[in-house]
Each structure stands twice: as structure tokens, then as C-alpha cells.
Amino acid sequence: MSGTFVGMPAFPVAARQAVGNETLRGNLRHATHTIRDKRARAVAELDDWAALREAGKQIKDHTLRHLDRYLVQVEEAVTAAGGTVHWAADADEANEIVARLVEETGESEVVKVKSMATQEIALNEALEARGIHAYETDLAELIVQLGKDRPSHILVPAIHRNRGEIRDIFRSEMSEWGRPAPEGLTDTPAELAEAARLHLREKFLRAKVGISGANFVVAETGTLVVVESEGNGRMCLTLPETLISVVGIEKIVPRWQDLEVFLQTLPRSSTAERMNPYTSMWTGTTGEDGPRTFHLVLLDNGRTDTLADEVGRQALRCIRCSACLNVCPVYERAGGHAYGSVYPGPIGAILSPQLRGTKSEIDASLPYASSLCGACYEVCPVAIDIPEVLVHLRERVVQGGPAVRGGNRVVLKPAKGHAAERAAMRAAQWAFTHPGALRTGQRLASRTRRLHPRTLPGPGRAWSGTRDLPAVPAEPFRDWWQRTRGGKDGAK
Amino acid sequence: MRVALFLTCVNDTLYPETGRAVVRLLTRLGVEVDFPMAQTCCGQAHYNTGYRHEAEPLARHFADVFTDYDAIVTPSGSCGAMVRELYPRMGERARAEGRGDTLAAVLAPVVPKTYELTEFLVDVLGVTDVGAYYPHTVTYHPTCHGLRSLGLGDRPRRLLEAVKGLELVELPGAEECCGFGGTFAVKNSDVSAAMGADKVRNAESTGADVLCAADNSCLMHIGGTMTRLRTGMRPVHIAEILASTGEAAV
């Protein structure tokens, strides 16, 4: 997938660095707690939240079940409205299509609306390799791009940066990309926003090609929808002569009316707003108004493989609100980069290993990047049971088993490095199905209790490095029970 | 009513005092409780680590041991959630894999009869004042599976509020996970430890003497962090508070 994530270490290793970085942890804690509290208030305002959540889940499940039909409907509607539809099986195909479309315009610059799909396929890097400069226009994406950084959050890509860091990035980097930062720029939000506004305006007015994703595609009309807070997206969608939208095939909703549900649940879940400030919708091309040429690139990139998995497919309901990130205690400590994917947090931990497979070290470790506390499921506006999918993917990692990759049914082998654990689990299973053996083990532990170290060697060090172990009691409960109630033992 | 205590393997091996407290408490409330000696482990550690197939014999064993009782009471929200939420799912998965209805049929009878301790007290016995006396300042940590999988709600708090001498103080960030998470505590030990330390700091800020929860696994992680951070607070299972009458423990 994205070249920038190749060779990422496993999650625990990447997370360790983040946990040790006090500034990063402070930035993350502040941002996630602020937004999660606001979200809870915004959601509590609606007495029909549970019904909206269920409706969103049903609409998405229905669409996924009949995706073949709705995709054809989208193609027909977009074509009828004067647009052109392209099909991309994977990242390489999508990047090739977009690069070719840009080259056909004769331009070497494009402005971009913030888009997860184009991040997923590493479009900017692919365009750069063809001599095309892609400028991110979302404020947070701009910060990430100028800082030669990677996004750390779905909604707030620069969540890991504080105001001082942003000022420093603007001061040192803006001039490399276009209009420099104003003299004497401070870290007040208004000044930072104004610096970005001036820098970006130049690009909006110059660009002939815009590239976007979409939050939704309405099948019955062929309409694409982008919701945003800043209005920068709308500038990219309306000013250029050519608009190219790269959209994951799971973004479809059947009817215009379905937006009624998501335009309530998405803003409340993501930015904790009743309604997002800008909702832009476009259908093909419209005479002299807006772009003259419109291309829709429909992206698979592992989505039909995911759809084939009956437990894991619910991840495709995701509307990228990021509520699960903001409430996740693991994300809060580890930050987004540790997930080694453009989709961080709980949703990333189930989406990335499905879209990319579980072969790499990072992808095999992602299903374990959770304490299974369930807070993500509780807040998810389309009721994705993230803990259920995590456990399902853990099974795939340690046991292997049937899956669909690249459209083919395959039997996956277990990932490397789980042999000792598997042996231990099987030994424990044997002991637990032989109560006598368990009892012998307990008694042995009790009799040798004075010899037990308070810290452990080997894998146990991971525990005892930061926590004390409990002392083993003199007598396990079952021995006490038999000693005191032995006469009426209920054993079978 | 034939009531069985499902103590869980962790409590049996490491926290027998919790088991003795449950027996003392239920006996005081007039419940005759049995401890089937063949019981072992519900299989949660296996299931949640990805060893669903290895967990299946343990689930079958659980059903075999407990199926004849009218109620199965466990002082663990997490193991209670394994039976109530995940056993039905194991049955469904076996069916989806073409292995028929046998597993689902074996597990089905025990699922609705399994209660976490505070649920059993409030919902089945209909008591909130269990006649306990515990003269300490206590803060309560609702553990994740009890809170979200079982939906224990305010039952534990109502029970604690009725304990004489007990002052209950709010825990900031109470509903945030302590970071135990079974094998998570070892597989992602740095993040787990950071979560535990934050939980302990929040607990310390309440000024309470005791942090109480309904799950000894979480308390093992929190308590191990407390002694390492030298807080002077004690982790105590809710059963031990509810069983306490100020007299010496049995």
C-alpha cells in the first residue's frame, strides 16, 4: 500500500517510543479528551441516537450486500451526468489512472481535498514520481505535508502537534512550497490560520486540477458528497477545470434520503458538531458552473476481499468519523503513527490487516493493539463490533485459516512467532480440561510460594518491569473448600 | 434454588480470599452455595488471544460442570461476559463452519443462568443492603467487560453505597480501561503499564484508602502498579467489602 509505511516495526515497538514521549502523550491526551467529551454532549442531545445508529448500520449492510448492483448504478448515473468512471483494483492501478488523467490536462500541479482514500494509495508520492506536485489544502494535512510527517489521526491528522510546533513548521517550510509565512508569526490560532489562508489562496486560484475523495456516493443520482469544516475542500471542488475523485467502493449509499442518517451521525461523532460547516455535493458536470471535466475513480484495494469475510466485513461500514480513535485508551498513549497505516486507532487495527493482509510484522501485530475494553464499539455510529473483529483477526494471525486475497480463496498459514504461545495455550487447555492436573499445579505453586521471584525472566519481564506480581496464597480456594466443606463436595 | 459458585481459575489460584468472601456473603443472605470441584477455566484467555478452537473444549467443560444448577454466580465481570456474550458467539461460529448445532446446544443452557455477583445480588436476590460494615474511603473502578459487555450499570455502586461506614468517592476517568486486557498486558506491556499508571494516579487523586472493582484480574494489574508506584492504596474485590462485617475474616 503506502510506501511510507513499508518496514514499519510491530505495534508494540512503535508504541513504546510514543509512550516514552511526554510531549506527544500530553498533546494526544489533551486533544482526545476534549473531543470525546464534546462528542458525548453532542450525541446526548438526540433522543433517537440509538435508532440512527441502527439505521446507519442497516443502510451500510444492505449496500454492502448488494454492492455489485449499486456500483453499476453509480457508473450509469455518473456517466449520464457527464462524468467518467474508472475502475481501480488496487493502489497501483488507481495511481496510474490519476497520474494519466492529470498528464492529459498538461498540468504539473494539483490541489487536494483531504482524502483518506488517496492517503491509503499514497497518491501524492506516486504523482511526485511522475513530476506532478500535489498540494494538500486541509489545514491539518498542510501541517503534515509541510512537516514531511505522516498523519496521526483520521480527522485531525496533525493531532500530535501543538501550536508551537506548527508555528515552527510554517516558519521554516512554507517558503519551500509557495508563499512564505508572514514575518513574526506567533502561535496564536488566528495568526496560524491566517498564514495558512494566504499560503493556500495562491494555490486555489492557480490550480487547474483538483483531486478529492468523498464521504458518500449516492447511487440513485451519482452524487458525491464531501463534508468538511474549513471550506478549503469546496474551493478545490469548484475552482479547478478538472476534478478527479478517488473513492473506495464501500462509500456508496443507495438513496439521497439515506444521507439524512449519516449527515446527523457523522458530524456529531467526528467533530462533535450538530452539522458540519460545509457540505458539498456534486453530480457529474454542469455547464459553465464548476469543473468542466469530472472523473470518478472507484477503488477496491482489498475491499472485496474484506467483503468476503463474514465477521470482518462489518469494518466496511466505517464512515471515517474517528470517534473510536478519540475514545481509545491505547490510541491515546500510542498515537497514530504506531499503527503503521493511514487508518490508525481501533478501526485501523481491524481495517488495515484486512485491506493489506496479515503477512507483515506490523499487520500481524495490529489485531493485538487493543485491550478489548469495548469503548470503540460503544461510540461507533454504525455499530461496528471492533472487539469482535479484533479477536477474529487474532485467530487468523495465530491459527491461519481460510481467507480471500486478491479475489482468490486461500488458506493462510499462521504468522511466525506464535509457536511458543500456541504450545502454552494448548498446555493450559489440557490442564483446564483435567481438573486434577490443575489442582496439582495450584498446590505446587502454593508449596513453593516462598521461592517465587517478584520479577520474572523471559516474556514475563514485560509484566514485572512495571508491576509487582501478586503473592501466591498458602492454599488455593478449592483446597480450602474441600477442607471446610469436604463432606458436601459438589464435584461431578 | 441450586446455586453454584464459578470462582474462575485466577481467583481460585491467586485470590482464594475472594472466593471465601463470596461464600460468606451468600451464606449470610440465606443462599446455599455449592462449589463444583471439577470447574476450571471459562476459556477467555484462549478465545481473546485468537485460540477459539482451544477455547471450545473449555466451554464444553464449563457447560458440563454447571448445566444442572439453577444459577451460576461468578465474582468476575470478565469471565461472566465470556459465558454470556461469547459462548453464544462460539456456538454460532461452529454452526457457520458447518460443524452443526452441537456446541451451541451444549452451551445454550448455561448462558442465561450465569450471573456476575452484583447482578445476582441485585437482580435475583433483590437486595442492595447486604448488611456489610466497612469503615473505609473507597473509590470504585467499573471494569470494562462488566461495564460494557454485561451492562452492570449502577448495581455495584448501589451495593457499595448501602455498606455502613463506607465512604464512596468518585474516580476520575472511571470508565477508562486500566490497561490489563489479559494477554494485552504482556504483548503491549508499555501501553498497558502507561494505562495502569494513569488509572492509579486518578485513584490516588481521590484520597481513598481502597480501590474496589468486581474483577481480580484488573485488580492484579492495578494493585501491582500501586505497590510499584508506592501509593499506599489497596486494591480490594467488591465481594470482600460486601462480605465484611467488621469482624475477623473466616
Side-chain angles (χ1 to χ4, degrees):
Chain A
M1 193 192 290
S2 166
T4 48
F5 294 111
V6 167
M8 272 289 295
F11 182 83
V13 177
R16 184 175 307 141
Q17 293 163 2
V19 169
N21 181 339
E22 284 298 326
T23 309
L24 176 66
R25 272 184 71 186
N27 294 349
L28 287 167
R29 186 186 309 125
H30 176 72
T32 56
H33 280 252
T34 306
I35 198 166
R36 88 167 66 146
D37 294 344
K38 278 171 70 182
R39 187 212 75 97
R41 286 197 294 275
V43 164
E45 284 180 356
L46 295 183
D47 6 331
D48 62 344
W49 183 260
L52 281 169
R53 185 176 189 244
E54 181 61 23
K57 172 182 186 241
Q58 297 286 350
I59 292 167
K60 281 283 182 177
D61 278 351
H62 166 86
T63 317
L64 291 168
R65 202 155 48 236
H66 304 286
L67 195 57
D68 48 349
R69 175 151 65 82
Y70 288 119
L71 279 166
V72 171
Q73 200 182 355
V74 165
E75 182 176 38
E76 286 167 1
V78 169
T79 309
T84 310
V85 174
H86 310 262
W87 301 86
D90 57 23
D92 289 346
E93 268 190 37
N95 288 332
E96 171 58 33
I97 292 166
V98 176
R100 182 174 47 77
L101 291 172
V102 177
E103 281 165 359
E104 280 169 11
T105 66
E107 294 294 317
S108 59
E109 277 184 5
V110 300
V111 284
K112 283 191 66 207
V113 186
K114 172 177 159 33
S115 144
M116 294 309 297
T118 58
Q119 290 274 6
E120 177 188 319
I121 60 175
L123 178 64
N124 291 5
E125 291 80 356
L127 291 178
E128 198 64 47
R130 302 268 283 252
I132 301 164
H133 301 289
Y135 296 116
E136 295 291 348
T137 65
D138 171 84
L139 177 55
E141 289 287 0
L142 174 72
I143 295 164
V144 169
Q145 188 174 43
L146 291 177
K148 299 177 185 68
D149 198 356
R150 287 195 301 249
S152 177
H153 190 279
I154 290 175
L155 180 78
V156 201
I159 194 170
H160 56 300
R161 298 291 199 182
N162 61 35
R163 287 175 0 205
E165 292 174 291
I166 294 167
R167 178 204 53 208
D168 295 345
I169 291 169
F170 279 12
R171 275 182 178 171
S172 67
E173 302 298 328
M174 267 185 172
S175 59
E176 299 281 312
W177 293 77
R179 183 176 174 137
E183 283 292 316
L185 178 68
T186 73
D187 67 354
T188 58
E191 278 196 38
L192 293 173
E194 185 60 15
R197 187 200 301 271
L198 294 170
H199 180 82
L200 287 170
R201 178 137 307 180
E202 210 180 71
K203 301 215 169 78
F204 290 135
L205 295 173
R206 198 171 65 204
K208 299 277 186 280
V209 182
I211 294 181
S212 85
N215 294 95
F216 306 99
V217 180
V218 180
E220 66 179 357
T221 55
T223 304
L224 278 73
V225 184
V226 158
V227 298
E228 49 151 350
S229 298
E230 296 167 6
N232 294 346
R234 181 168 292 178
M235 302 277 264
C236 296
L237 295 168
T238 49
L239 290 172
E241 289 166 11
T242 301
L243 174 60
I244 305 166
S245 301
V246 182
V247 182
I249 54 174
E250 83 285 16
K251 293 282 172 185
I252 295 175
V253 295
R255 303 167 307 162
W256 185 268
Q257 199 189 334
D258 298 325
L259 295 174
E260 151 197 15
V261 172
F262 299 111
L263 292 182
Q264 293 185 76
T265 53
L266 177 55
R268 281 177 202 263
S269 300
S270 56
T271 51
E273 291 167 303
R274 293 173 184 144
M275 184 85 208
N276 49 284
Y278 294 85
T279 301
S280 304
M281 300 178 172
W282 66 103
T283 311
T285 54
T286 314
E288 300 292 297
D289 187 17
R292 310 286 187 277
T293 313
F294 170 61
H295 296 277
L296 169 61
V297 181
L298 287 166
L299 176 71
D300 186 319
N301 206 33
R303 285 162 175 77
T304 46
D305 289 348
T306 306
L307 195 54
D309 188 296
E310 63 181 57
V311 179
R313 66 171 62 134
Q314 56 185 309
L316 296 177
R317 280 190 221 135
C318 177
I319 55 173
R320 312 284 189 260
C321 74
S322 71
C324 62
L325 277 61
N326 299 327
V327 81
C328 177
V330 177
Y331 175 85
E332 184 188 326
R333 273 88 186 178
H337 292 158
Y339 293 81
S341 149
V342 296
Y343 304 109
I347 186 65
I350 62 168
L351 200 52
S352 303
Q354 294 200 86
L355 295 180
R356 303 193 295 206
T358 44
K359 253 189 186 159
S360 73
E361 205 184 340
I362 178 73
D363 287 315
S365 72
L366 286 178
Y368 293 93
S370 167
S371 65
L372 302 180
C373 82
C376 49
Y377 179 29
E378 194 173 60
V379 297
C380 178
V382 284
I384 301 169
D385 191 340
I386 295 175
E388 180 187 24
V389 182
L390 285 167
V391 170
H392 174 67
L393 294 174
R394 289 176 185 190
E395 188 179 327
R396 178 171 299 172
V397 169
V398 298
Q399 313 263 43
V404 175
R405 299 305 308 160
N408 300 313
R409 293 214 155 270
V410 293
V411 177
L412 299 173
K413 282 190 202 138
K416 282 182 190 141
H418 290 270
E421 178 186 276
R422 190 159 41 244
M425 285 289 177
R426 294 209 169 131
Q429 180 220 49
W430 183 85
F432 286 141
T433 44
H434 295 78
L438 174 66
R439 192 169 186 185
T440 307
Q442 283 176 333
R443 281 185 179 158
L444 188 67
S446 286
R447 295 216 177 108
T448 58
R449 56 201 280 264
R450 287 182 208 294
L451 308 174
H452 293 182
R454 298 287 276 185
T455 55
L456 293 172
R461 197 180 295 139
W463 174 279
S464 57
T466 50
R467 290 150 291 199
D468 288 322
L469 288 163
V472 175
E475 182 182 50
F477 177 87
R478 65 182 63 228
D479 284 359
W480 172 83
W481 176 268
Q482 197 166 42
R483 187 163 57 74
T484 56
R485 316 270 173 129
K488 43 185 185 130
D489 183 349
K492 288 174 55 158
Chain B
M1 184 162 68
R2 294 195 70 213
V3 177
L5 169 61
F6 168 48
L7 189 56
T8 82
C9 56
V10 168
N11 288 328
D12 180 13
T13 310
L14 293 173
Y15 299 97
E17 65 275 18
T18 297
R20 295 198 295 267
V22 176
V23 173
R24 202 158 70 236
L25 171 65
L26 292 180
T27 308
R28 194 170 77 214
L29 294 170
V31 177
E32 195 180 329
V33 57
D34 191 12
F35 179 84
M37 290 290 276
Q39 66 177 278
T40 55
C41 166
C42 64
Q44 187 190 185
H46 290 80
Y47 185 90
N48 279 349
T49 313
Y51 297 89
R52 176 167 57 92
H53 289 279
E54 280 78 357
E56 281 184 11
L58 303 183
R60 282 174 187 275
H61 182 73
F62 180 95
D64 188 36
V65 170
F66 288 104
T67 202
D68 291 337
Y69 290 90
D70 301 313
I72 304 147
V73 182
T74 181
S76 163
S78 178
C79 304
M82 175 67 192
V83 176
R84 284 245 299 276
E85 190 185 25
L86 302 180
Y87 278 13
R89 199 170 280 174
M90 288 169 83
E92 283 164 32
R93 291 289 295 150
R95 196 180 290 149
E97 286 168 351
R99 291 189 282 131
D101 292 335
T102 324
L103 185 64
V106 170
L107 300 181
V110 292
V111 172
K113 294 191 291 194
T114 302
Y115 299 91
E116 184 277 334
L117 175 67
T118 66
E119 273 181 325
F120 183 74
L121 295 172
V122 175
D123 297 356
V124 181
L125 300 185
V127 291
T128 46
D129 186 348
V130 296
Y133 173 67
Y134 193 78
H136 296 283
T137 308
V138 175
T139 193
Y140 175 70
H141 166 60
T143 58
C144 299
H145 291 165
L147 179 74
R148 300 196 181 89
S149 302
L150 292 179
L152 295 182
D154 63 354
R155 292 177 186 85
R157 296 178 51 93
R158 280 158 61 199
L159 289 159
L160 289 172
E161 279 162 5
V163 172
K164 288 183 188 54
L166 186 151
E167 190 197 343
L168 189 63
V169 290
E170 267 323 303
L171 175 64
E175 297 191 355
E176 287 167 32
C177 177
C178 72
F180 174 60
T183 46
F184 175 77
V186 177
K187 283 180 183 281
N188 277 290
S189 67
D190 294 280
V191 178
S192 165
M195 289 163 70
D198 288 348
K199 177 61 72 182
V200 168
R201 285 191 197 105
N202 280 339
E204 217 180 354
S205 76
T206 65
D209 321 320
V210 165
L211 178 132
C212 160
D215 231 310
N216 271 331
S217 307
C218 311
L219 285 171
M220 174 172 72
H221 168 72
I222 296 172
T225 308
M226 280 175 169
T227 56
R228 193 60 68 93
L229 296 177
R230 302 177 192 283
T231 61
M233 281 185 88
R234 279 184 300 133
V236 178
H237 193 285
I238 191 168
E240 289 162 50
I241 293 178
L242 298 178
S244 175
T245 53
E247 298 153 17
V250 176

PDB file of all heavy atoms in Angstrom, chain A residues 124-138:
ATOM      1  N   ASN A 124       0.005  11.013  -3.456  1.00  0.00           N
ATOM      2  CA  ASN A 124       0.933  12.147  -3.569  1.00  0.00           C
ATOM      3  C   ASN A 124       2.331  11.698  -3.987  1.00  0.00           C
ATOM      4  O   ASN A 124       2.962  12.306  -4.860  1.00  0.00           O
ATOM      5  CB  ASN A 124       1.029  12.897  -2.232  1.00  0.00           C
ATOM      6  CG  ASN A 124      -0.253  13.629  -1.913  1.00  0.00           C
ATOM      7  OD1 ASN A 124      -1.259  13.512  -2.632  1.00  0.00           O
ATOM      8  ND2 ASN A 124      -0.250  14.369  -0.825  1.00  0.00           N
ATOM      9  N   GLU A 125       2.790  10.601  -3.374  1.00  0.00           N
ATOM     10  CA  GLU A 125       4.121  10.090  -3.684  1.00  0.00           C
ATOM     11  C   GLU A 125       4.179   9.580  -5.127  1.00  0.00           C
ATOM     12  O   GLU A 125       5.154   9.792  -5.838  1.00  0.00           O
ATOM     13  CB  GLU A 125       4.505   8.957  -2.719  1.00  0.00           C
ATOM     14  CG  GLU A 125       4.757   9.400  -1.273  1.00  0.00           C
ATOM     15  CD  GLU A 125       3.497   9.616  -0.452  1.00  0.00           C
ATOM     16  OE1 GLU A 125       2.372   9.492  -1.003  1.00  0.00           O
ATOM     17  OE2 GLU A 125       3.622   9.931   0.747  1.00  0.00           O
ATOM     18  N   ALA A 126       3.084   8.912  -5.547  1.00  0.00           N
ATOM     19  CA  ALA A 126       3.033   8.386  -6.917  1.00  0.00           C
ATOM     20  C   ALA A 126       3.035   9.532  -7.929  1.00  0.00           C
ATOM     21  O   ALA A 126       3.697   9.455  -8.968  1.00  0.00           O
ATOM     22  CB  ALA A 126       1.802   7.504  -7.101  1.00  0.00           C
ATOM     23  N   LEU A 127       2.311  10.607  -7.637  1.00  0.00           N
ATOM     24  CA  LEU A 127       2.276  11.752  -8.549  1.00  0.00           C
ATOM     25  C   LEU A 127       3.639  12.428  -8.588  1.00  0.00           C
ATOM     26  O   LEU A 127       4.127  12.826  -9.653  1.00  0.00           O
ATOM     27  CB  LEU A 127       1.200  12.749  -8.108  1.00  0.00           C
ATOM     28  CG  LEU A 127      -0.253  12.291  -8.273  1.00  0.00           C
ATOM     29  CD1 LEU A 127      -1.217  13.365  -7.756  1.00  0.00           C
ATOM     30  CD2 LEU A 127      -0.588  11.970  -9.728  1.00  0.00           C
ATOM     31  N   GLU A 128       4.255  12.566  -7.414  1.00  0.00           N
ATOM     32  CA  GLU A 128       5.575  13.194  -7.314  1.00  0.00           C
ATOM     33  C   GLU A 128       6.572  12.477  -8.221  1.00  0.00           C
ATOM     34  O   GLU A 128       7.364  13.114  -8.913  1.00  0.00           O
ATOM     35  CB  GLU A 128       6.037  13.145  -5.845  1.00  0.00           C
ATOM     36  CG  GLU A 128       7.155  14.109  -5.497  1.00  0.00           C
ATOM     37  CD  GLU A 128       6.748  15.576  -5.650  1.00  0.00           C
ATOM     38  OE1 GLU A 128       5.656  15.942  -5.167  1.00  0.00           O
ATOM     39  OE2 GLU A 128       7.519  16.332  -6.269  1.00  0.00           O
ATOM     40  N   ALA A 129       6.482  11.127  -8.228  1.00  0.00           N
ATOM     41  CA  ALA A 129       7.389  10.327  -9.056  1.00  0.00           C
ATOM     42  C   ALA A 129       7.181  10.622 -10.543  1.00  0.00           C
ATOM     43  O   ALA A 129       8.060  10.361 -11.368  1.00  0.00           O
ATOM     44  CB  ALA A 129       7.185   8.842  -8.773  1.00  0.00           C
ATOM     45  N   ARG A 130       5.993  11.140 -10.897  1.00  0.00           N
ATOM     46  CA  ARG A 130       5.712  11.484 -12.305  1.00  0.00           C
ATOM     47  C   ARG A 130       5.880  12.982 -12.548  1.00  0.00           C
ATOM     48  O   ARG A 130       5.431  13.504 -13.560  1.00  0.00           O
ATOM     49  CB  ARG A 130       4.283  11.074 -12.661  1.00  0.00           C
ATOM     50  CG  ARG A 130       3.988   9.582 -12.449  1.00  0.00           C
ATOM     51  CD  ARG A 130       4.235   8.765 -13.699  1.00  0.00           C
ATOM     52  NE  ARG A 130       3.175   8.917 -14.648  1.00  0.00           N
ATOM     53  CZ  ARG A 130       2.267   7.983 -14.935  1.00  0.00           C
ATOM     54  NH1 ARG A 130       2.312   6.804 -14.313  1.00  0.00           N
ATOM     55  NH2 ARG A 130       1.340   8.202 -15.833  1.00  0.00           N
ATOM     56  N   GLY A 131       6.469  13.686 -11.575  1.00  0.00           N
ATOM     57  CA  GLY A 131       6.713  15.117 -11.744  1.00  0.00           C
ATOM     58  C   GLY A 131       5.482  15.986 -11.501  1.00  0.00           C
ATOM     59  O   GLY A 131       5.425  17.131 -11.963  1.00  0.00           O
ATOM     60  N   ILE A 132       4.506  15.458 -10.804  1.00  0.00           N
ATOM     61  CA  ILE A 132       3.299  16.250 -10.514  1.00  0.00           C
ATOM     62  C   ILE A 132       3.271  16.575  -9.020  1.00  0.00           C
ATOM     63  O   ILE A 132       3.372  15.674  -8.180  1.00  0.00           O
ATOM     64  CB  ILE A 132       2.017  15.463 -10.896  1.00  0.00           C
ATOM     65  CG1 ILE A 132       2.036  15.108 -12.386  1.00  0.00           C
ATOM     66  CG2 ILE A 132       0.762  16.251 -10.531  1.00  0.00           C
ATOM     67  CD1 ILE A 132       1.045  14.021 -12.767  1.00  0.00           C
ATOM     68  N   HIS A 133       3.160  17.862  -8.693  1.00  0.00           N
ATOM     69  CA  HIS A 133       3.122  18.266  -7.285  1.00  0.00           C
ATOM     70  C   HIS A 133       1.681  18.310  -6.801  1.00  0.00           C
ATOM     71  O   HIS A 133       0.846  18.977  -7.409  1.00  0.00           O
ATOM     72  CB  HIS A 133       3.762  19.638  -7.094  1.00  0.00           C
ATOM     73  CG  HIS A 133       5.180  19.673  -7.550  1.00  0.00           C
ATOM     74  ND1 HIS A 133       6.191  19.029  -6.880  1.00  0.00           N
ATOM     75  CD2 HIS A 133       5.746  20.258  -8.645  1.00  0.00           C
ATOM     76  CE1 HIS A 133       7.331  19.208  -7.529  1.00  0.00           C
ATOM     77  NE2 HIS A 133       7.087  19.940  -8.614  1.00  0.00           N
ATOM     78  N   ALA A 134       1.398  17.601  -5.711  1.00  0.00           N
ATOM     79  CA  ALA A 134       0.060  17.620  -5.132  1.00  0.00           C
ATOM     80  C   ALA A 134       0.103  18.442  -3.845  1.00  0.00           C
ATOM     81  O   ALA A 134       0.908  18.158  -2.960  1.00  0.00           O
ATOM     82  CB  ALA A 134      -0.397  16.196  -4.842  1.00  0.00           C
ATOM     83  N   TYR A 135      -0.738  19.475  -3.768  1.00  0.00           N
ATOM     84  CA  TYR A 135      -0.757  20.319  -2.581  1.00  0.00           C
ATOM     85  C   TYR A 135      -1.968  19.994  -1.727  1.00  0.00           C
ATOM     86  O   TYR A 135      -3.106  20.087  -2.190  1.00  0.00           O
ATOM     87  CB  TYR A 135      -0.799  21.804  -2.981  1.00  0.00           C
ATOM     88  CG  TYR A 135       0.428  22.256  -3.730  1.00  0.00           C
ATOM     89  CD1 TYR A 135       0.338  22.684  -5.056  1.00  0.00           C
ATOM     90  CD2 TYR A 135       1.682  22.254  -3.113  1.00  0.00           C
ATOM     91  CE1 TYR A 135       1.467  23.094  -5.756  1.00  0.00           C
ATOM     92  CE2 TYR A 135       2.812  22.666  -3.803  1.00  0.00           C
ATOM     93  CZ  TYR A 135       2.703  23.086  -5.117  1.00  0.00           C
ATOM     94  OH  TYR A 135       3.822  23.486  -5.801  1.00  0.00           O
ATOM     95  N   GLU A 136      -1.708  19.633  -0.477  1.00  0.00           N
ATOM     96  CA  GLU A 136      -2.805  19.397   0.460  1.00  0.00           C
ATOM     97  C   GLU A 136      -3.358  20.748   0.905  1.00  0.00           C
ATOM     98  O   GLU A 136      -2.594  21.668   1.217  1.00  0.00           O
ATOM     99  CB  GLU A 136      -2.304  18.605   1.684  1.00  0.00           C
ATOM    100  CG  GLU A 136      -1.839  17.192   1.359  1.00  0.00           C
ATOM    101  CD  GLU A 136      -2.985  16.255   0.960  1.00  0.00           C
ATOM    102  OE1 GLU A 136      -4.163  16.627   1.146  1.00  0.00           O
ATOM    103  OE2 GLU A 136      -2.687  15.155   0.453  1.00  0.00           O
ATOM    104  N   THR A 137      -4.676  20.875   0.950  1.00  0.00           N
ATOM    105  CA  THR A 137      -5.273  22.173   1.291  1.00  0.00           C
ATOM    106  C   THR A 137      -6.031  22.155   2.611  1.00  0.00           C
ATOM    107  O   THR A 137      -6.392  23.205   3.120  1.00  0.00           O
ATOM    108  CB  THR A 137      -6.231  22.646   0.174  1.00  0.00           C
ATOM    109  OG1 THR A 137      -7.336  21.733   0.114  1.00  0.00           O
ATOM    110  CG2 THR A 137      -5.527  22.712  -1.157  1.00  0.00           C
ATOM    111  N   ASP A 138      -6.295  20.981   3.166  1.00  0.00           N
ATOM    112  CA  ASP A 138      -6.859  20.910   4.506  1.00  0.00           C
ATOM    113  C   ASP A 138      -5.775  21.411   5.472  1.00  0.00           C
ATOM    114  O   ASP A 138      -4.606  21.060   5.307  1.00  0.00           O
ATOM    115  CB  ASP A 138      -7.245  19.462   4.812  1.00  0.00           C
ATOM    116  CG  ASP A 138      -7.648  19.252   6.254  1.00  0.00           C
ATOM    117  OD1 ASP A 138      -8.828  19.501   6.566  1.00  0.00           O
ATOM    118  OD2 ASP A 138      -6.795  18.840   7.066  1.00  0.00           O
TER     119      ASP A 138
END
